[in-house]
Amino acid sequence: MDQSKKGPRRTGATRRIYMSLREQIESGVYGTGDKLPSSRSLAEEHGVSRTTVTAAFDQLISEGYVEVRQGAKPIVATTASPSRLHPSASTANGARRLSNYAMRAMRLPSHSTAGRKPLKFDFRYGDIAAADFPKQVWKHALTSAFMIHRDRLGYDNPAGSPILRQALQGYLWRARGIRCNPSQIVIVNGSQQALDLCARTLVNPGDSVVIEEPCYAMARNVMLAVGASPVPVACDHDGMDTAGLPDLGQVALAYVTPSHQFPLGGVLSVGRRHRLIEWAKAGNIYVIEDDYDGEYRYDVSPIPPLYLSGQDQVIYVGTVSKTLSPTLRLGYMVLPAPLIDPFIHCKQLADRHSSTYEQEALASLIEAGAYERHVRKMRRSSAARRSIFLRTMTDAFEKEIEIVGTSAGLHVVVWFNRLRAEDEERIAGLAGSNDIGIYPISRLFGTPTDPRAGFIFGYASMDVKSIAEGVSRLAGIIRPLVG
Ligand SMILES: Cc1ncc(COP(=O)(O)O)c(C=O)c1O
């Protein structure tokens, strides 16, 4: 049988990656000379080691689809144009007719974990423990929401349920000191939809968007997909270093995580807050404040949102993904007045509105005080998880590591002083083959600057026993590498 039709005889993952790249080249998603994703980002996307990805590339190279030059990213070979390989491919499957948006989106690594083999000790950031979800309370609230609407099922307000917006107004005042009018609040399907709406509403292809370096990949990717050029501004323990803000010129928008920089954990200092707002005012630019885990603070008092430093400039974004569940897809935005109508129009075009039952269930939890009680409970259980993680890591690695971003949130970054950044993927692969999920920090940098290997550890989805056991097993793998 012709090997080019059969693909590699390696592992299932190698074959999957090989097939996916080959299909994208054949259908023209990647054209001749286009850069392909690096083996590092493909390893992340598919949850496999770099060796697995390299095997897929080797096969594509041997079949003439891909070329690699020393030290550069792999590119689509000149011999691999769709019309040469499959004369009918470009018209038969319609892929050539994809929009520029879709083509750009297809080139970005997917962050879906669907279908991935679960790991026994997974320090994946973003998941939270199912055991913490208030099942009975939520079930009751959902049933009540259904009963309210049982006589009429129709489309609702694109801005969101008035009951929830009213309830959130009170919650935001009590929890975050934000005073706003319910008319400024738009309910969205998680923060991700808020970021997507910001990109659609405020950014044109070719515009620059200021982002943090390192940055939340899903924020950077939303901007790339609309054709914007991200302008990364370096972050340290005080958050984004505003001395590095670019000249205003083509800048359309800025994205920050001021209360707990993702992923490094810094808190944007007061001076930098003022500088950022002044800069944004001078250019008439909006700043997205992604307050994704503002509920979780441990040894420090709550950090006021950036919103309080510049209400006319800041688009405040919150979510229940870290307090209730990311599966609910419920988030909210607080908008400056001129943006309310444009955002409601765009939200309606995107999906009419977010699910009414879930919105009203959340509203009733907030109104009854059950949401804030739950948040307090979550804060206590996260504090217990965090403390066992920090203690067991420090005991296991002592002076070999530096842990940053510990005062807030549901994750930390651990730098390994004697491991090299270029070995992160190999180490993550090794851990993965021992049923432990750890996630290289370099994936979140445009250009990594720290020569040490670093990993982002989420601890919110594991119980304390598994955290301790996971750390001890990880130590068994990493200790021999540091000598
Ligand atoms: C920086 C950041 N923003 C937002 C979110 C939450 O996203 P969503 O509300 O879409 O679930 C996350 C989740 O991991 C995050 O890390």
Side-chain angles (χ1 to χ4, degrees):
M1 190 184 180
D2 175 2
Q3 179 64 23
S4 68
K5 291 277 166 278
K6 205 167 49 148
R9 275 177 199 271
R10 316 241 173 139
T11 63
T14 300
R15 183 171 171 74
R16 223 172 38 243
I17 295 164
Y18 159 84
M19 285 308 295
S20 143
L21 286 172
R22 197 178 100 170
E23 274 163 28
Q24 291 182 75
I25 294 169
E26 287 181 348
S27 64
V29 170
Y30 291 107
T32 303
D34 278 357
K35 281 188 190 143
L36 292 165
S38 65
S39 53
R40 191 180 80 195
S41 62
L42 284 168
E44 173 196 359
E45 179 184 341
H46 292 268
V48 296
S49 71
R50 257 168 119 167
T51 322
T52 306
V53 179
T54 309
F57 270 128
D58 287 347
Q59 186 69 32
L60 290 161
I61 293 166
S62 73
E63 291 173 12
Y65 285 90
V66 169
E67 285 170 18
V68 189
R69 297 200 190 98
Q70 193 66 35
K73 275 191 178 171
I75 57 165
V76 177
T78 39
T79 47
S81 72
S83 53
R84 256 194 84 176
L85 291 164
H86 292 270
S88 59
S90 56
T91 47
N93 63 14
R96 273 286 177 199
R97 272 173 263 133
L98 287 176
S99 68
N100 290 341
Y101 174 87
M103 303 275 258
R104 287 189 293 263
M106 295 284 287
R107 290 175 199 193
L108 298 166
S110 156
H111 288 266
S112 167
T113 51
R116 192 178 286 181
K117 177 177 151 270
L119 295 168
K120 189 157 182 214
F121 305 99
D122 198 350
F123 291 99
R124 183 174 188 84
Y125 166 73
D127 298 355
I128 61 174
D132 290 340
F133 188 75
K135 296 175 198 61
Q136 287 312 322
V137 178
W138 187 256
K139 201 169 141 195
H140 180 73
L142 261 187
T143 311
S144 311
F146 176 71
M147 294 311 278
I148 295 170
H149 291 274
R150 76 189 147 187
D151 295 333
R152 182 186 156 260
L153 298 179
Y155 293 113
D156 271 321
N157 188 336
S161 150
I163 310 177
L164 177 57
R165 290 154 76 212
Q166 185 73 48
L168 278 171
Q169 180 202 31
Y171 171 72
L172 286 169
W173 165 233
R174 292 190 298 278
R176 303 300 279 131
I178 291 178
R179 267 203 193 283
C180 65
N181 192 295
S183 66
Q184 289 176 263
I185 300 179
V186 172
I187 309 300
V188 283
N189 293 320
S191 319
Q192 195 57 33
Q193 187 176 42
L195 301 180
D196 186 62
L197 288 176
C198 288
R200 287 169 192 256
T201 315
L202 299 167
V203 181
N204 286 311
D207 284 347
S208 299
V209 175
V210 165
I211 59 165
E212 298 172 321
E213 165 77 333
C215 187
Y216 179 44
M218 294 290 278
R220 183 200 284 119
N221 289 353
V222 156
M223 300 307 161
L224 284 169
V226 295
S229 305
V231 181
V233 176
C235 295
D236 57 24
H237 56 275
D238 282 336
M240 178 186 271
D241 181 0
T242 48
L245 282 169
D247 290 341
L248 290 158
Q250 287 295 302
V251 178
L253 188 65
Y255 166 86
V256 281
T257 48
S259 298
H260 188 224
Q261 199 276 325
F262 186 86
L264 297 179
V267 176
L268 193 64
S269 64
V270 176
R272 289 181 177 184
R273 280 167 194 249
H274 286 137
R275 165 93 183 94
L276 178 59
I277 296 294
E278 288 311 312
W279 171 85
K281 260 192 201 150
N284 201 15
I285 290 163
Y286 290 107
V287 179
I288 305 172
E289 170 174 27
D290 183 356
D291 197 22
Y292 62 105
D293 65 3
E295 290 82 2
Y296 296 95
R297 312 217 62 85
Y298 307 109
D299 311 324
V300 286
S301 46
I303 310 294
L306 179 69
Y307 183 84
L308 299 184
S309 310
Q311 309 199 354
D312 295 335
Q313 240 54 58
V314 174
I315 299 170
Y316 177 87
V317 177
T319 179
V320 303
S321 289
K322 307 283 165 230
T323 51
L324 281 171
S325 168
T327 60
L328 293 175
R329 308 313 303 135
L330 270 179
Y332 41 90
M333 323 176 70
V334 181
L335 293 165
L339 293 185
I340 298 172
D341 276 348
F343 272 73
I344 294 174
H345 272 78
C346 292
K347 165 74 180 165
Q348 186 176 33
L349 280 181
D351 61 2
R352 293 257 192 183
H353 59 79
S354 298
S355 161
T356 302
Y357 296 153
E358 269 78 6
Q359 290 188 64
E360 295 194 354
L362 176 60
S364 73
L365 256 63
I366 296 174
E367 277 167 357
Y371 182 68
E372 275 145 282
R373 274 197 299 284
H374 174 70
V375 170
R376 285 196 290 276
K377 192 171 142 221
M378 289 294 282
R379 201 178 291 135
R380 283 195 298 277
S381 50
S382 302
R385 290 181 173 112
R386 164 186 169 271
S387 103
I388 193 88
F389 178 79
L390 295 180
R391 186 162 56 71
T392 50
M393 274 310 264
T394 313
D395 288 351
F397 293 102
E398 298 175 340
K399 298 219 163 353
E400 297 290 346
I401 54 170
E402 182 194 1
I403 310 183
V404 299
T406 57
S407 61
L410 301 173
H411 74 275
V412 295
V413 169
V414 182
W415 295 103
F416 287 82
N417 299 331
R418 291 207 284 152
L419 295 176
R420 293 175 317 157
E422 54 268 36
D423 293 328
E424 282 175 1
E425 296 292 341
R426 187 175 60 81
I427 296 164
L430 194 61
S433 54
N434 284 277
D435 235 357
I436 305 169
I438 57 169
Y439 299 89
I441 191 77
S442 299
R443 293 174 183 172
L444 301 174
F445 278 88
T447 316
T449 43
D450 201 308
R452 299 173 296 173
F455 297 90
I456 173 163
F457 285 81
Y459 46 77
S461 67
M462 293 159 84
D463 59 44
V464 287
K465 200 161 150 263
S466 307
I467 292 174
E469 197 180 334
V471 168
S472 140
R473 285 205 190 190
L474 183 66
I477 295 162
I478 291 190
R479 277 229 144 272
L481 304 178
V482 292

